[in-house]
Amino acid sequence: ALLDLSGTHQVKGTWMGSTTLPCTYTPSEGFTQQTLTWSMERDYSTSTLFRRDDSGDHILLSRFRDRVSVPKHSPGNASLLIESLEIPDSGHYTCKVTWRSKNNSLITKELTTTVRVVKVAATKPVIRAGELGLTVPAGARTSLTCVASGSPPISYRWFRSAPGGKALLLSSQAELAWDSLQPSDAGKYYCEAENR
């Protein structure tokens, strides 16, 4: 496993946030890093966005200027940090390192990571507490509506508590409605919200 690059296959980032694409190796005696490039493939075209060589660090795609960097003084760490992520930053990124050995031969290894930029981080649904304890006259029309925040799509289910701790499923919609309330409709109702 001499001079093997290690990283990860997929990285998720949040729009306007930052993400690191890992690309590391164990420095080995007798091998010096000559060049490091990061290229990006999107819509079947590949372009180099970052290059490090004897003359320094170069950012070759203007839209990444001031947004990408690679650690300066940590040998073996070629990871790419992308800041202020934009949706078009999604794509396949390849880290390519070339080393020169003592006998002047070159070794090149590469590693590809897929980046997905999402608008918002995925979040679990959180139900907004409704009014607790509603008193409604018999014969009235009424409804209970369940509202949850979180990543869409969110599905809702309404249950009614039954004796013996059982739950009766009443509705698979966000709203539970009655045309004409009966005294027998009195009881405890609860809502469940679910997303992926």
Side-chain angles (χ1 to χ4, degrees):
L2 188 68
L3 293 179
D4 255 344
L5 298 179
S6 58
T8 176
H9 291 303
Q10 199 167 26
V11 168
K12 258 191 187 168
T14 307
W15 180 62
M16 295 316 291
S18 61
T19 192
T20 297
L21 284 55
C23 180
T24 57
Y25 64 90
T26 308
S28 178
E29 236 178 289
F31 292 92
T32 37
Q33 181 179 304
Q34 287 289 107
T35 57
L36 154 68
T37 59
W38 275 97
S39 57
M40 179 204 190
E41 184 210 333
R42 185 186 166 87
D43 306 328
Y44 307 105
S45 71
T46 303
S47 33
T48 300
L49 65 100
F50 178 92
R51 180 181 168 91
R52 173 175 288 175
D53 54 28
D54 298 342
S55 64
D57 288 2
H58 311 279
I59 294 167
L60 306 171
L61 289 181
S62 58
R63 68 185 193 85
F64 283 106
R65 208 146 281 159
D66 304 324
R67 293 203 296 128
V68 296
S69 57
V70 173
K72 273 265 196 307
H73 305 293
S74 44
N77 188 354
S79 306
L80 182 73
L81 169 69
I82 310 177
E83 297 175 273
S84 306
L85 285 163
E86 301 286 354
I87 299 295
D89 292 344
S90 298
H92 306 292
Y93 289 76
T94 300
C95 169
K96 186 169 164 187
V97 181
T98 302
W99 298 270
R100 186 179 290 278
S101 69
K102 278 212 172 89
N103 64 9
N104 268 343
S105 62
L106 295 177
I107 292 179
T108 299
K109 291 280 169 77
E110 53 182 58
L111 175 103
T112 299
T113 303
T114 301
V115 174
R116 281 186 55 210
V117 181
V118 291
K119 264 288 196 230
V120 286
T123 51
K124 283 183 177 176
V126 176
I127 297 177
R128 209 165 64 202
E131 297 171 68
L132 297 173
L134 285 171
T135 309
V136 189
R141 293 181 68 143
T142 192
S143 67
L144 296 172
T145 303
C146 193
V147 183
S149 60
S151 308
I154 298 178
S155 60
Y156 295 96
R157 295 194 300 174
W158 274 103
F159 295 91
R160 181 179 182 177
S161 316
K166 287 192 171 65
L168 296 170
L169 175 63
L170 300 174
S171 166
S172 296
Q173 255 77 47
E175 187 182 47
L176 179 60
W178 291 267
D179 283 335
S180 172
L181 275 174
Q182 300 306 312
S184 58
D185 291 322
K188 278 189 175 165
Y189 295 83
Y190 63 94
C191 164
E192 180 184 271
E194 183 180 37
N195 65 3
R196 286 201 291 263

